[in-house]
Amino acid sequence: MMRRMLRIKAIVNELMQELNNHEYCLDANIQDDDDMYTDMEMLTTYIQELECKLSHMEFALNAQLSLSEVSRDIMEKPSSSNANARLHSEKLNESLKDSMSSPANNIIQNHDFSVGLHLWNPNSCKGFVASSESDYPEGLSEKLRGRFALITNREECWQGLEQDITDRVSAGSSYTVCAWIGILGAPQGTADVQATLKLEFQDSSVTYLFIGRTSASMERWEKVEGTFCLSTMPHRVMFYLEGPPPGVDLLIRSVMISCPNPIGFDSQRTGSLCDDNEDIILNPRFDDGLNNWTGRGCKIVLHDSMGDGKVLPMSGKFFVSTEKRTQNWNGIQQEITGRVQRKLAYDVVATVRIFGNNITSADVRATLWVQAADLREQYIGIATVQATDKDWVQMQGKFLLNGSPSRVVIYLEGPPPGTDILLENLVVKHAAKAPPASPPIIENALFGVNIIANSNLSDGTNGWYPLGNCTLTVKNGSPHILPPMAAESLGAHEPLSGRYILVTNRTQTWMGPAQTITNKVKLYLTYQVSAWVRVGTGATRPQAVNVALGVDGQWVNGGQVEINDDKWHEIGASFRIEKLPAKVMVYVQGPDAGVDFMVAGLQIFPVDRQARFRHLKKQTDKIRKRDVTLKFTTSDSSTLAGTLVKIRQTQNSFPFGSCVSRSNIDNEDFVEFFSKNFNWAVFGNELKWYWTEPQQGNLNYKDADEMLNLCTSHNIQLRGHCIFWEVEATVQSWIRSLSKTDLMSAVQNRLTSLLTRYKGKFKHYDVNNEMLHGSFYQDHLGKDIRVNMFKIAYQLDSSATLFVNDYHIEDGCDTRSSPDKYIQHILDLQEQGAPVGGIGIQGHIDSPIGPIVCSALDTLGILGLPIWFTELDISSNNEYVRADDLEVMLREAFAHPAVEGVMLWGFWELFMSRDNAHLVNAEGDINEAGKRYLALKQEWLSHAHGHIDEQGQFEFRGFHGSYEVEVVGFSKKKVAKTFVVDQGEDPLIITINL
């Protein structure tokens, strides 16, 4: 075969030279008769076929394919029908370029029909390869001439041309598709053509995977492109092109399917085979009218102005508006299937406004609708902006697709029905890599130094001023000691003066003492807030007192407490400012108008976290490690003294977990990081009632089942979140509409359905989420329903630990969920017989301060129940600050004896409930927060080495978990054993028989 290929190459070179000579003569008018022209066209066609056959032979040789049909009569002169082809030289060059441009890893055989329809099959229709004037159908555009497959006699939209690619694709690899297509006989001049995979499985089931679609033309070649990835390998995989209406002929010039990188590499980070403009939105500024745009449930109209000329484009020539919107989700859309790639992050920018219906402002949202091959749908929120009817505003967002979708549509939605959405432009581009982050530079931090002037009131009210028309008076009789949380942060300190500010004549809740501290606050420093507060007589209900900051007019919570007596209470919280402010004011506020209150010893000071970390490391060593003695024995009389041993911990047994979602598990990179660095998991939404039963009786456990199977395969334990959610806004509408009797029945059915299906699968359940912040079920079914939920859950699955779960427990910022209120809530449940087995602290926290977090844990620890941080996330736009915050929380949790596990509420960018909280960037790069997490995981693994003593023992102190021990030199060989260090206060003695 190789000799034959070399011979063909030589012939091609000779014929190309002859063709050039003919062209020169023709151009110079040396000879201009029909015979000359016919000879030249015969030659060009012959060269074209030889060149393409050569390309096909090379591919076949590399793939070890059969060439019986390719090599047969390859050196014969072309048929007379081919010899009559009228191809200009530039068409020849274009065809040769097409033929030779097929990537080396193109899995489509005979991709340019150089050997007819070999390996292709017209599906329930007819087809042939046209390459000459005699083959061309009547009315074919000059721009569509060349060699192509013509598929005709089509009676159904799905009829087209197919090729079996089963043996050339594999599960897990990502493939990029590009085909050049045209049409003939379309009444409107255009028709959609799409690329599809037909997947046939062993059980005879069949699914169809959409790859890409484009609007094909009768005037020129267009391209259809897309990507696909098979999660499992079907019995048979058929690729085909389809789509135009019955009676419209399909023209196909070439098809390429490439796997840019083999499985195991990042196969989706290369450009498209049909590389185009960076912006994947077609006609983004409507220069081509409404082409590529449609209305989503409504009509769209092109404008150069609206409202009698009052609404004009901001920068372009045109804009589009909706008409007749009857639903919030109606809007403007474009399908981007085939132009968006999985595992790539995309930036989205749109210029929008609203018009009509007497609405002056409304939220406009950019949303992605994604349909998978199995028809599963997903809606991804990209961005939201408050648009007005006065000016254009810019909306910005970002998204990433984990899996290989069959269809993807981006659309704008949101305003109330009747209000039109106006769009001037929409741009979707691959997101540029963010520049490397830098830690903030903070000079003269002055840790522990109070920035409040005249805090001890030795100079009366100097430095203070009343906010509003209240009255400030200095009195004596407040505590002389610092509040406990502040005392722990400050270390050695002077006692308080015992003076306080009395605030009277208050006519608004926000009135109280204030100071301006603009020039004293440094960016990115974490400040602790501490004060004693008390409420005067005359209050008829519990009163909230709040230390607040006004940062350029924005309210920032500096801590609050609820008071229901005449005692002094501690406020302890924190804050941080990450944008340069023009003005910062601190003030104390909160009680009802007319209620007096008192403030003493207000302190605001930056916290030295490293000093706290040194303390926590000592505490961690006490509670997370254990003394271990390895006793080595041997069956012979050999002495073991002096033998070298190496001990390496392979896994710490402390639970570190993360939230995951169904779409995450389609991303191999996500799964790899998750399974390697976490040993517990919780589902973000897929176990919640509104997910598993969105409509009554329509149960959906498919997502949860798939996620459970993945976790089980990686030996990852599971928390069940959540059986019920007490906050009314989270309860699906069909439940809210039920009568009391029907609601009680639905609750029982939910418990039975979920807990019997997954009995023994989930180690924990959050039974009724956020009972301190919601009361839907209690309001509708009575107080006993909460207790009964716990009782029934325990009856159905007694192996699971049943948790309460709530937020703002640990940060001092929410009077509804203080540690004291949480304790009372748990005790009330237990007194009524609820088998509460664990305390969940969600941990959605900002600028955490160790002593404040620890104080909450100490308070809750009184109950003797295991405490878990169940939804921990930290948000900061600076990833070094985020890393510091994360370290605070992880060290506090790991060093506290009552804490038995930590769950992060996600770790991957774009798949977390809060922005700037991720550990891993969207495309898989580990940021500083992620590096800090991994560094702590390494710090909490023990390693030791040394020699066995005369008693045949080796002692060390190590973290709880799994270990490997290697004995070096015993019996002239290495011996490796494993052992586990479990929890316990007494030294652990482990016998290892060599």
Side-chain angles (χ1 to χ4, degrees), residues 660-720:
V660 295
S661 68
R662 171 59 189 82
S663 68
N664 291 146
I665 70 175
D666 292 329
N667 187 331
E668 310 90 305
D669 301 332
F670 180 99
V671 172
E672 180 181 5
F673 187 96
F674 167 62
S675 60
K676 183 178 180 181
N677 297 297
F678 298 98
N679 53 14
W680 277 69
V682 60
F683 303 164
N685 289 302
E686 289 79 0
L687 212 67
K688 291 172 181 170
W689 196 1
Y690 62 65
W691 192 281
T692 62
E693 195 174 5
Q695 291 86 36
Q696 188 170 14
N698 182 17
L699 295 176
N700 168 33
Y701 290 112
K702 179 179 175 63
D703 295 331
D705 288 347
E706 292 176 358
M707 297 168 72
L708 186 148
N709 291 338
L710 176 84
C711 292
T712 301
S713 69
H714 288 93
N715 197 29
I716 293 173
Q717 304 294 327
L718 287 164
R719 297 195 79 250

Side-chain angles (χ1 to χ4, degrees), residues 285 312-316 318-319 351 391-394 424-425:
R285 290 181 172 272
L312 297 172
M314 187 174 73
S315 59
F318 307 103
F319 61 89
T351 304
D391 298 295
W392 293 97
V393 295
Q394 193 173 83
E424 192 204 45
N425 65 77

Side-chain angles (χ1 to χ4, degrees), residues 839-858:
I839 302 173
I841 302 175
Q842 291 184 6
H844 303 292
I845 191 171
D846 295 307
S847 54
I849 298 288
I852 296 173
V853 174
C854 185
S855 175
L857 295 174
D858 288 344

Side-chain angles (χ1 to χ4, degrees), residues 223-241:
K223 62 179 175 292
V224 57
E225 57 181 331
T227 61
F228 68 87
C229 178
L230 303 177
S231 57
T232 58
M233 191 61 201
H235 176 65
R236 192 179 186 210
V237 182
M238 299 293 294
F239 169 84
Y240 66 100
L241 293 160

Side-chain angles (χ1 to χ4, degrees), residues 165-391:
I165 58 172
T166 309
D167 296 333
R168 281 159 275 147
V169 292
S170 58
S173 292
S174 298
Y175 297 88
T176 307
V177 178
C178 176
W180 291 93
I181 50 88
I183 56 169
L184 191 65
Q188 305 300 323
T190 62
D192 283 349
V193 174
Q194 75 178 45
T196 307
L197 286 187
K198 180 181 180 182
L199 310 178
E200 301 176 8
F201 294 89
Q202 292 282 8
D203 61 0
S204 299
S205 63
V206 176
T207 62
Y208 296 88
L209 178 62
F210 174 88
I211 299 174
R213 179 187 293 112
T214 194
S215 179
S217 168
M218 294 174 59
E219 297 299 324
R220 61 183 179 272
W221 293 110
E222 302 285 358
K223 62 179 175 292
V224 57
E225 57 181 331
T227 61
F228 68 87
C229 178
L230 303 177
S231 57
T232 58
M233 191 61 201
H235 176 65
R236 192 179 186 210
V237 182
M238 299 293 294
F239 169 84
Y240 66 100
L241 293 160
E242 59 169 338
V248 177
D249 293 341
L250 175 60
L251 284 57
I252 306 167
R253 192 178 73 176
S254 65
V255 181
M256 291 175 280
I257 300 182
S258 173
C259 183
N261 295 305
I263 188 170
F265 294 87
D266 194 353
S267 57
Q268 283 298 320
R269 303 202 177 174
T270 60
S272 167
L273 283 175
C274 305
D275 210 9
D276 244 349
N277 191 299
E278 185 178 15
D279 184 6
I280 67 172
I281 294 295
L282 304 178
N283 187 24
R285 290 181 172 272
F286 310 103
D287 295 322
D288 194 16
L290 295 179
N291 193 27
N292 303 112
W293 294 93
T294 57
R296 188 173 185 86
C298 60
K299 294 183 178 181
I300 60 172
V301 182
L302 183 70
H303 302 273
D304 56 11
S305 69
M306 280 182 70
D308 296 326
K310 295 179 181 179
V311 179
L312 297 172
M314 187 174 73
S315 59
K317 298 179 180 179
F318 307 103
F319 61 89
V320 163
S321 75
T322 59
E323 278 191 358
K324 300 180 180 179
R325 294 181 65 250
T326 60
Q327 302 290 334
N328 288 50
W329 54 266
N330 295 158
I332 307 167
Q333 68 179 5
Q334 182 172 133
E335 182 158 350
I336 56 175
T337 311
R339 302 193 299 278
V340 61
Q341 297 186 51
R342 64 187 293 258
K343 299 201 297 184
L344 288 186
Y346 290 89
D347 282 329
V348 178
V349 179
T351 304
V352 299
R353 66 188 292 172
I354 60 172
F355 184 84
N357 201 29
N358 296 319
I359 301 294
T360 59
S361 67
D363 283 346
V364 174
R365 298 190 299 273
T367 305
L368 211 64
W369 175 76
V370 182
Q371 185 180 59
D374 60 2
L375 303 183
R376 186 184 342 225
E377 295 181 327
Q378 182 186 11
Y379 293 87
I380 301 174
I382 300 173
T384 301
V385 69
Q386 188 173 61
T388 73
D389 63 346
K390 300 293 188 296
D391 298 295

Side-chain angles (χ1 to χ4, degrees), residues 361-504:
S361 67
D363 283 346
V364 174
R365 298 190 299 273
T367 305
L368 211 64
W369 175 76
V370 182
Q371 185 180 59
D374 60 2
L375 303 183
R376 186 184 342 225
E377 295 181 327
Q378 182 186 11
Y379 293 87
I380 301 174
I382 300 173
T384 301
V385 69
Q386 188 173 61
T388 73
D389 63 346
K390 300 293 188 296
D391 298 295
W392 293 97
V393 295
Q394 193 173 83
M395 175 168 55
Q396 294 181 303
K398 194 174 182 180
F399 73 86
L400 176 141
L401 299 179
N402 286 305
S404 297
S406 63
R407 290 189 67 192
V408 186
V409 175
I410 187 170
Y411 66 98
L412 302 182
E413 60 172 337
T419 301
D420 293 332
I421 302 171
L422 278 57
L423 173 65
E424 192 204 45
N425 65 77
L426 176 63
V427 176
V428 179
K429 295 183 178 181
H430 179 210
K433 292 280 187 182
S438 300
I441 299 174
I442 303 172
E443 298 178 350
N444 301 318
L446 300 177
F447 294 122
V449 176
N450 185 17
I451 64 174
I452 295 297
N454 190 24
S455 176
N456 62 7
L457 305 173
S458 58
D459 194 15
T461 58
N462 187 38
W464 296 90
Y465 57 86
L467 188 64
N469 58 2
C470 59
T471 302
L472 308 183
T473 310
V474 175
K475 300 287 185 178
N476 289 305
S478 61
H480 286 268
I481 62 170
L482 277 174
M485 287 180 277
E488 192 168 347
S489 296
L490 285 171
H493 54 273
E494 296 292 326
L496 299 180
S497 66
R499 289 183 286 271
Y500 64 89
I501 296 176
L502 173 64
V503 189
T504 57

